[in-house]
Amino acid sequence: MEPFVGNDYRKRVLAAVERRGGPNASDSFELYDLPIEEAERLDDDAVAARLDEVWAFWQKHRDHPKYRILVARLVAEHDERSAPLRHKTGRIAEARAVSTRRELRDQQRFELLDNAVARLNERYGGIPRSKRAGLDEIGAMGGLDPAEVATRLRRHRIVDDAPAAPAGPMPPRVALTAQRRAQIVDLLAEFDRLRDGDPTPTLLTLLHLDTDAAADRGVIESRAVALNDRARELAAGRFRAVLDELLVHVHDILLTDPALAQDYRQSVVDTVTDHLRPRVRAAVLVEDELGAQDHEFLLDEARAGGLGARDARTVIASLAAEFGAAVNPPAGGPARAEPPPTRLWANDLRAARAALRDALPVRARSAIADARASAGDDGEALRQIAAVADEVERVIRQAVTDARRARDLADEKRHVAALELLEGVFRRARDIDLLPEAGDRLAERLEQSRDVVARADAAARAASAGDPASLSAAAQMRRQIVDHDALDMSAAGVTVDPPRNVRSVADGGAITVSWDPSATESVTYRVVRIAADGSTRTLGRTTSTELSDGSAPDPVPPVYEVIALHAGHRSEPARTGSTSGPSADAGSTVPVRPVTPRPDDPPPVTAVRVEGDTVCFEWPVGVTEAMVVIRPDAAPDHPADPAAVASKVTNTRYQIDGGYPIPSNIPRPCHVAVASCRRTPQGKLDVASVFGPSARAQAPATGAAG
């Protein structure tokens, strides 16, 4: 086994897998760069080392601009995909299964090329030199490079093209051989087996035409071009190969030589004639006359065989005459006027319905356009076409709407909902991404959402075990997907213990904030500075248990709040001066609040009282905002008391509510104090440093007398 080289692996393996369409078009031996022919000789330790090397390479390339979606799938499926390779017994069994799959895959990849080569050998006795370059293009359609095509062609003889015929008598016309006719019949039968819909007895039926239109080269050519364009939309496979072969016959027989086209038309007429002969004999055996009902039945049989109305009537009349019977009504008689050539639109309409059933509404829309062109001004035909067209457009409109909504959901990281919508779109309209109005890269968006949901499923399963590393991975995953219930539920029970004993110590021009660590492991701490006016500023995040605040000192020392963060979850906040939890260390200091007002304090609030569940007070002149401070266990020390709950109220809100309603979540009894506020010229809220003499009150327990 060769050493693992990352750059070589990316160019040789990842590029090939991406080009083929992803991991489903590959196998575990290729993905882990293990030689399949050495499966029995490889050592388990060497294989484990290779698996780890490839795994590490994938992890490094998860953000690669070209391969990130492919690598994400490989990472998500690593455990399941690598399990059979880790032990010799499983590795040998996997090698045998992979060898079989590779043979089948190669057969599919070479199918288009092999079919083309077989036709050339049949027609020319080898591969004409002038057509050799075209085989490279056919090979590319199956995902083959020129070197693979050249290797495949070594077994075949290259022949020189026949020289131009000298001037003289015209060469004999090439006739439609029985062998080629049988080959076409076999291909049409296989075409019908590979698809749902009405039978396709002839090349003309393949183009939604009948023998009455066999001489109209313009119509045949336009239909052939349209069908060829639709064939280009198909993925490589047997159905595509059969359709391509049939199109070659359409070109060679119906478009290249009018005489050959006439031969083919006549062969169709002869085949239907042979089919109808015993049926006509049975119909005229007793009465020596072909009745109207039998005539109608035979007409339908002839049309099902690919004949047009005119040819069908001619064949039936000639067969009746062959058995000496009259036709009632006579062919072309007044009892049954020649129907207008509406069978063309009927064939197109059937094709539209079949495409709609196959979840191909864009193709159905194209067939509807053909049907309208064929119907002309036939009112009844146009009404039938309109009914199907309405259904086609309804399906397309819904698919476009859902595709756009799915794109928005994916952009909002709601990948579960986006995946459900996109899968529904492709079930009903798998060719909708051919329409520009549906949005770009629908198939890629489907795979992206499918990948995100799969990784979220895996993260949820891992997180349910409670492993810290898995919880961190789940938290990262929740940033990519917001509507995954299992992922949310797996993290719902996670709790983070708060830090304890938060303290602040002044040292020169800075204040050092420290705390006792959280009981939860691997946490990050966020430290917030709360000023006396209630404004906050995040100082930073740290994994240690202290942080320095180098801000300019405030006249009133601030309160510091510390929160522990882990795996997307946060603890309850812990603050300096808090009365809950362990007491402060002897060396710590609780901020000292002034007991006398600042000279620039606003006028104090007066006459604070509690009336029922409402705090009432007198507003001083010129004061329009106040800070209501409530503490359950004791009277607030000052407006910035860290153990209290502070709420700002404006005089407008106060007038509307008739006071300040005490929030229902604050336990009673409690202590209330109110401080006046004002705005600085810069718009900052300035809260008084102390409460006024009559700015305190106590709220009794609910239902107690005031």
Side-chain angles (χ1 to χ4, degrees):
M1 183 168 61
E2 297 294 330
F4 180 78
V5 180
N7 287 337
D8 175 66
Y9 174 85
R10 184 176 61 252
K11 297 174 183 177
R12 180 170 44 83
V13 177
L14 278 190
V17 174
E18 175 76 13
R19 185 170 60 249
R20 290 200 300 266
N24 292 339
S26 182
D27 56 70
S28 53
F29 281 88
E30 180 183 27
L31 293 174
Y32 291 102
D33 205 17
L34 293 170
I36 193 170
E37 63 276 3
E38 299 180 19
E40 298 186 17
R41 300 191 299 272
L42 291 174
D43 181 69
D44 287 351
D45 292 337
V47 171
R50 171 56 55 87
L51 298 179
D52 292 341
E53 287 177 318
V54 175
W55 166 258
F57 177 85
W58 291 346
Q59 292 286 4
K60 291 180 182 178
H61 287 73
R62 294 187 71 162
D63 295 326
H64 192 282
K66 182 177 180 181
Y67 302 118
R68 62 179 182 274
I69 295 177
L70 170 61
V71 170
R73 283 195 61 187
L74 294 175
V75 169
E77 299 168 2
H78 168 68
D79 291 340
E80 179 181 358
R81 198 184 297 278
S82 62
L85 303 177
R86 296 186 178 276
H87 303 288
K88 185 173 183 178
T89 303
R91 193 161 55 247
I92 294 173
E94 181 71 7
R96 292 171 181 169
V98 166
S99 296
T100 301
R101 290 199 299 270
R102 285 186 179 182
E103 290 177 3
L104 292 175
R105 191 178 70 198
D106 285 344
Q107 289 177 7
Q108 293 174 351
R109 293 175 63 227
F110 285 100
E111 189 170 24
L112 288 175
L113 177 65
D114 289 344
N115 287 334
V117 170
R119 293 197 304 269
L120 290 174
N121 277 319
E122 177 184 344
R123 188 169 183 180
Y124 298 101
I127 300 174
R129 200 175 302 278
S130 63
K131 296 182 180 292
R132 171 61 185 82
L135 293 177
D136 286 338
E137 298 178 1
I138 293 177
M141 293 167 56
L144 304 176
D145 58 39
E148 291 176 306
V149 173
T151 301
R152 196 73 169 184
L153 296 182
R154 287 175 184 171
R155 67 187 77 170
H156 300 286
R157 186 165 63 96
I158 305 296
V159 298
D160 291 326
D161 291 5
M170 292 293 293
R173 181 175 63 84
V174 177
L176 181 65
T177 64
Q179 180 183 4
R180 190 165 192 184
R181 170 64 179 162
Q183 183 181 9
I184 294 171
V185 170
D186 291 342
L187 285 171
L188 290 170
E190 186 173 2
F191 179 80
D192 285 339
R193 289 195 300 271
L194 295 173
R195 61 182 283 276
D196 295 327
D198 296 330
T200 313
T202 72
L203 292 177
L204 291 164
T205 311
L206 181 71
L207 303 177
H208 307 303
L209 299 171
D210 54 37
T211 55
D212 288 350
D216 193 337
R217 190 179 187 282
V219 173
I220 294 175
E221 185 172 11
S222 64
R223 297 292 178 91
V225 170
L227 184 59
N228 184 69
D229 291 341
R230 294 171 193 171
R232 297 296 178 188
E233 301 166 7
L234 300 175
R238 184 56 189 166
F239 183 74
R240 168 74 178 273
V242 170
L243 185 54
D244 284 344
E245 288 192 61
L246 288 172
L247 285 169
V248 170
H249 288 299
V250 167
H251 180 270
D252 291 349
I253 295 175
L254 300 181
L255 295 175
T256 302
D257 185 350
L260 199 59
Q262 179 58 31
D263 282 353
Y264 181 75
R265 173 192 168 279
Q266 187 59 49
S267 72
V268 172
V269 172
D270 292 343
T271 299
V272 175
T273 301
D274 292 340
H275 173 75
L276 293 181
R277 179 172 281 106
R279 290 160 176 78
V280 173
R281 180 188 293 114
V284 303
L285 182 63
V286 176
E287 301 293 338
D288 291 329
E289 180 181 86
L290 185 61
Q293 187 173 359
D294 289 333
H295 188 267
E296 182 67 23
F297 169 78
L298 293 170
L299 277 176
D300 290 339
E301 287 282 295
R303 288 170 180 150
L307 297 192
R310 183 179 61 252
D311 286 338
R313 288 177 172 278
T314 301
V315 167
I316 294 171
S318 64
L319 286 173
E322 181 179 323
F323 297 115
V327 178
N328 182 24
R336 181 181 176 97
E338 184 72 19
T342 58
R343 299 306 300 177
L344 299 182
W345 67 260
N347 291 337
D348 291 328
L349 194 58
R350 281 197 296 270
R353 291 193 182 101
L356 199 56
R357 289 194 301 269
D358 292 341
L360 298 169
V362 178
R363 180 181 298 179
R365 176 189 276 179
S366 178
I368 288 291
D370 291 342
R372 284 190 170 125
S374 300
D377 57 356
D378 187 333
E380 178 59 29
L382 292 176
R383 279 192 294 273
Q384 294 185 39
I385 293 169
V388 179
D390 289 345
E391 177 64 15
V392 169
E393 294 305 319
R394 185 192 66 78
V395 172
I396 289 177
R397 282 196 304 271
Q398 186 62 52
V400 169
T401 300
D402 289 350
R404 290 174 177 172
R405 177 59 180 155
R407 178 193 59 198
D408 295 339
L409 288 171
D411 292 341
E412 295 167 6
K413 302 181 181 179
R414 297 172 60 188
H415 290 284
V416 172
L419 179 59
E420 182 178 352
L421 266 182
L422 282 174
E423 286 181 337
V425 167
F426 279 95
R427 280 196 303 270
R428 300 188 308 272
R430 51 194 173 95
D431 61 349
I432 194 66
D433 53 354
L434 299 175
L435 296 180
E437 61 265 30
D440 58 341
R441 301 180 290 110
L442 286 184
E444 183 178 334
R445 287 180 178 273
L446 173 64
E447 288 303 316
Q448 181 183 22
S449 291
R450 188 174 286 159
D451 171 68
V452 173
V453 172
R455 288 191 286 119
D457 290 339
R461 289 193 298 269
S464 62
D467 177 62
S470 298
L471 290 175
S472 298
Q476 293 290 337
M477 198 68 235
R478 291 178 73 193
R479 296 188 180 98
Q480 301 180 44
I481 181 170
V482 299
D483 63 341
H484 194 285
D485 293 339
L487 194 63
D488 295 339
M489 290 177 62
S490 67
V494 178
T495 58
V496 182
D497 292 325
R500 301 287 181 178
N501 194 19
V502 182
R503 59 257 183 199
S504 61
V505 178
D507 184 11
I511 298 175
T512 300
V513 185
S514 59
W515 55 90
D516 294 340
S518 165
T520 304
E521 298 181 356
S522 304
V523 299
T524 300
Y525 300 98
R526 186 180 70 186
V527 183
V528 178
R529 172 192 176 109
I530 306 175
D533 61 359
S535 63
T536 62
R537 183 168 65 87
T538 299
L539 297 180
R541 298 191 181 202
T542 180
T543 56
S544 67
T545 55
E546 68 175 32
L547 192 67
S548 178
D549 179 11
S551 307
D554 287 344
V556 179
V559 172
Y560 293 95
E561 178 181 86
V562 183
I563 300 173
L565 308 171
H566 174 71
H569 299 271
R570 51 184 292 166
S571 71
E572 293 295 326
R575 294 180 176 180
T576 53
S578 173
T579 58
S580 61
S583 60
D585 292 343
S588 66
T589 62
V590 176
V592 179
R593 307 292 174 174
V595 296
T596 57
R598 298 193 309 266
D600 58 347
D601 271 353
V605 168
T606 59
V608 175
R609 59 201 181 277
V610 177
E611 299 177 355
D613 293 328
T614 304
V615 179
C616 302
F617 51 89
E618 299 295 331
W619 290 81
V621 177
V623 173
T624 59
E625 295 176 275
M627 190 70 68
V628 180
V629 184
I630 304 177
R631 181 169 171 172
D633 56 338
D637 292 334
H638 41 74
D641 189 336
V645 177
S647 301
K648 189 195 72 166
V649 61
T650 64
N651 57 355
T652 302
R653 187 77 258 173
Y654 183 93
Q655 295 296 330
I656 293 173
D657 295 338
Y660 173 77
I662 299 175
S664 59
N665 62 343
I666 294 180
R668 304 277 293 271
C670 60
H671 300 269
V672 180
V674 184
S676 56
C677 309
R678 66 182 171 195
R679 295 284 173 178
T680 66
Q682 293 77 26
K684 183 179 179 182
L685 186 68
D686 186 13
V687 183
S689 58
V690 297
F691 300 114
S694 59
R696 297 175 183 274
Q698 186 170 1
T702 304

